[in-house]
Amino acid sequence: MGLTERLADRIRRGGPITFAEFQDAALYDPEAGFFTTGGGAGRVGGDFVTSPEVGALFGTLVARYLDDAWDRLGEPDPFVVVEAGAGRGRLASDVLRALPACTPALRYVMVERSAVLRSEQRELLTVEPAEEALGPVLLGSDPQEDDEWVPGTGPIVASIDELPGIGFEGVVVANELLDNLPVRIVERADGAWSEVRVGLVGDDLVEVLIDADPGLAAEADVVAADAPLESGVRLPVPTLLADWLAEVAGVLRRGEVLLVDYADNGAGLGARGQDQWLRTYRHHERGGDPLDAPGSQDITCDVPLEYLGSIATRAGFVVTHESTQGAWLTDLGVEALVEEGRAVWRERAHLGDLAAIAGRSRVGEAATLLDPDGLGAHRVITLERTVR
Ligand SMILES: C[S@@+](CC[C@H](N)C(=O)[O-])C[C@H]1O[C@@H](n2cnc3c(N)ncnc32)[C@H](O)[C@@H]1O
């Protein structure tokens, strides 16, 4: 039975489902979900392009950020970097290739929900069993004499399907993960919130409005952040993002969280409308209505900024940085790297070797990563978790 039929059966039995339940099935159903069946980021053969997929430059700059964070933490060894929503492993591979100073201490743990994408990571990286990367870390912060912990033996790369279950010290990185965490949707009507659920007419999936429960209405107020809202305005409420951040807070004993994603404030989301903040993609083109053919297209949503700040505080984090991706990469020294690339190209263009081509490629990559109407407009937010 196809996913649409299974969802229809579920709705016939239990009534309309939340949009988050629908989105979770559409993206991650074990048999037919968009990501489960191998959809995802990629310039060739993918469905959308993310910063790591533009080229190696983004990973080189993230490696610099990781070195800065390692330094701020006092150069711990092991230094655990958990990349959540790691996709095919492109960012991990570029970070490692940049050889950051933290490399000998580095345990790089990719967390990816899709088994197909986890297996594709092995085409780019040598992946070791999770115990190799996390073993001594799992034992706690004070390695005992009989632990097999040997400093300076990194990098070790591992790949798992959910966040590590036990505390660690380091950094959690998430590039374009948050926009794929399922959202509930609310609509403003007569000064109150309704919830947009997914119901059925005949065999067709359709939107159904019901009164929002008080908990959801309270979260919707946080998303709206005092923006003046007319009747009919809709907003996303990313309740699963709140759960994910609380889970991160539960395992990151000390360290930082780096979040990169498209985001907007409550007023912007309200003014732009649902068809702008909730988008579908398939093979590099905008897809159809989100309820169409679940599993066949990506469904992605802008991250509400005030809401993110609020749930971060609730989870015990302090927001330490917020800027556009363009500004963040500029602070990390992207211009100097581009200049370096240009110089290599000038010197080696006549040879046309890999170094020359990589040098020239940096110029174009930087333009794409900094584009104020594209990836450069993504928001970069860092959170800090201090010792509990
Ligand atoms: C938009 S893709 C981004 C991939 C990669 N970070 C990049 O920038 O190219 C989002 C990825 O997050 C994964 N994902 C979604 N929810 C997840 C979760 N709770 N834990 C781990 N991975 C998740 C999806 O399967 C998908 O591969």
Side-chain angles (χ1 to χ4, degrees), residues 27-28 35-36 39-42 48-53 58 83-91 111-114 117 160-163 174-182 244 247 262 298 300:
L27 298 183
Y28 309 111
F35 286 112
T36 322
F48 47 83
V49 175
T50 56
S51 296
E53 297 292 340
F58 186 72
E83 189 196 343
R88 301 175 209 278
R90 186 66 211 262
L91 177 60
V111 180
E112 171 51 56
R113 201 171 161 181
S114 157
L117 296 177
I160 51 181
D161 63 349
E162 53 184 39
L163 288 171
N175 187 69
E176 292 206 25
L177 164 72
L178 311 191
D179 64 89
N180 272 141
L181 297 176
W244 179 80
E247 214 183 314
Y262 26 88
D298 184 20
T300 170

Side-chain angles (χ1 to χ4, degrees), residues 48-49 55 61 111 116 233-234 275 289:
F48 47 83
V49 175
L61 288 153
V111 180
V116 173
V233 164
R234 287 187 176 189
D275 61 342
D289 184 273

Side-chain angles (χ1 to χ4, degrees), residues 93-223:
S93 160
D94 290 334
V95 164
L96 291 164
R97 253 196 296 170
L99 288 175
C102 63
T103 298
L106 189 58
R107 268 65 184 138
Y108 199 109
V109 181
M110 297 180 285
V111 180
E112 171 51 56
R113 201 171 161 181
S114 157
V116 173
L117 296 177
R118 282 201 307 282
S119 75
E120 287 182 24
Q121 293 165 354
R122 289 164 191 271
E123 291 166 20
L124 287 177
L125 293 147
T126 305
V127 177
E128 302 193 42
E131 311 82 74
E132 295 292 322
L134 288 165
V137 178
L138 293 179
L139 296 173
S141 56
D142 300 316
Q144 304 295 309
E145 258 176 54
D146 54 355
D147 289 346
E148 291 170 23
W149 177 244
V150 185
T153 50
I156 297 177
V157 179
S159 177
I160 51 181
D161 63 349
E162 53 184 39
L163 288 171
I166 300 179
F168 58 88
E169 182 176 18
V171 176
V172 175
V173 176
N175 187 69
E176 292 206 25
L177 164 72
L178 311 191
D179 64 89
N180 272 141
L181 297 176
V183 297
R184 290 172 81 171
I185 297 178
V186 290
E187 182 175 309
R188 195 77 182 159
D190 302 325
W193 292 109
S194 298
E195 178 170 15
V196 181
R197 291 207 174 191
V198 179
L200 267 187
V201 170
D203 291 334
D204 294 330
L205 300 173
V206 293
E207 290 185 346
V208 179
L209 282 185
I210 62 163
D211 288 345
D213 64 67
L216 180 64
E219 297 294 281
D221 284 338
V222 179
V223 174

